[in-house]
Amino acid sequence: MLFYDCSTAPNPRRARMFIAEKGLEIESRDISIAAGEQLQPEFRAVNPRATIPVLVTDEGTALTENLGIAAYLEARFPEPPLMGRTPDEKGLVMMWNAIAEQQGGAPVAEALRNGHPAFKDRAIPGPANHAQIPELAQRGVARVAQFFDLLEERLSESPFVACDHFTLADISTFVFVDFARVIKMRVPEGNSATRAWYEAIKARPSAQI
């Protein structure tokens, strides 16, 4: 297998943490988004959509989305289970992973890509250029604040985001919460359940790489 990574971006970090939690060592290549390496012909030959991460399997299949990468690795290396053990758990992991992506990751990206000058004409990842819309940056900040409230409510009743144990949903949520620093947003001081959960995930070895 071959893993295309980017040390500075959140989505590759999600896959990197999943691989580490599985206890796997996979050959990797770092692709610099800052240098525009994802847009070069060499990488576009691997993923024409010019996004990272990518996992090329032993069979030569290029998996270009986090959920596809996770599903493949979970099926091939089922222990430890990170996507649920029972039908209910599997549903909860997918549900909360989607919530993290749509209500956490998407608004952080919306605020960053529409508000930071480094993303001028690059408001959406991929091969096509898109102009920034400042109003979307403002909306993204508001949505991240709402996500923090939703997360606090959930973690006040559950030790982990989806189940009673660590899963893919915790990886996705942690990475997006941590990445919110790029838009100068952190978990509010009063959100004690979220802060305790965040510190516990941050201490895991997979969060250090």
Side-chain angles (χ1 to χ4, degrees):
M1 290 184 287
L2 179 59
F3 176 58
Y4 289 87
D5 196 358
C6 176
S7 59
T8 59
N11 281 319
R13 187 185 184 192
R14 292 166 61 195
R16 193 162 66 243
M17 284 185 68
F18 194 93
I19 291 168
E21 289 286 343
K22 284 290 183 183
L24 303 173
E25 293 186 6
I26 299 175
E27 180 185 353
S28 66
R29 294 180 186 170
D30 197 78
I31 303 298
S32 172
I33 291 176
E37 290 180 356
Q38 80 279 15
L39 301 172
Q40 298 304 311
E42 294 82 2
F43 183 74
R44 293 284 299 277
V46 177
N47 179 13
R49 290 178 294 282
T51 59
I52 314 166
V54 179
L55 179 69
V56 179
T57 71
D58 288 339
E59 295 75 22
T61 302
L63 302 172
T64 65
E65 298 293 334
N66 263 288
L67 198 53
I69 292 170
Y72 171 81
L73 293 175
E74 183 86 348
R76 187 168 173 186
F77 307 98
E79 296 296 331
L82 296 176
M83 299 179 74
R85 298 166 296 199
T86 67
D88 277 23
E89 286 184 358
K90 291 176 186 294
L92 285 168
V93 171
M94 291 297 94
M95 180 184 83
W96 279 102
N97 191 74
I99 290 171
E101 289 183 340
Q102 296 164 13
Q103 301 184 43
V108 171
E110 199 172 61
L112 175 64
R113 286 187 165 269
N114 287 282
H116 197 289
F119 291 94
K120 185 178 185 298
D121 296 324
R122 293 293 301 158
I124 297 177
N129 292 332
H130 293 274
Q132 293 176 319
I133 302 174
E135 291 81 4
L136 290 182
Q138 297 168 12
R139 187 180 73 177
V141 169
R143 291 181 64 207
V144 171
Q146 293 168 355
F147 178 65
F148 285 159
D149 290 342
L150 180 154
L151 197 55
E152 178 66 12
E153 181 180 352
R154 173 59 177 169
L155 291 170
S156 294
E157 60 187 29
S158 175
F160 294 94
V161 172
C163 307
D164 62 357
H165 59 279
F166 180 87
T167 69
L168 170 68
D170 294 286
I171 292 176
S172 295
T173 305
F174 170 79
V175 169
F176 294 140
V177 167
D178 197 45
F179 195 64
R181 69 185 183 277
V182 300
I183 58 169
K184 297 181 171 56
M185 294 192 71
R186 309 305 288 159
V187 175
E189 290 286 342
N191 291 25
S192 57
T194 305
R195 292 176 71 87
W197 165 87
Y198 174 83
E199 291 301 327
I201 306 302
K202 185 179 179 181
R204 298 177 76 93
S206 66
Q208 312 301 316
I209 60 175

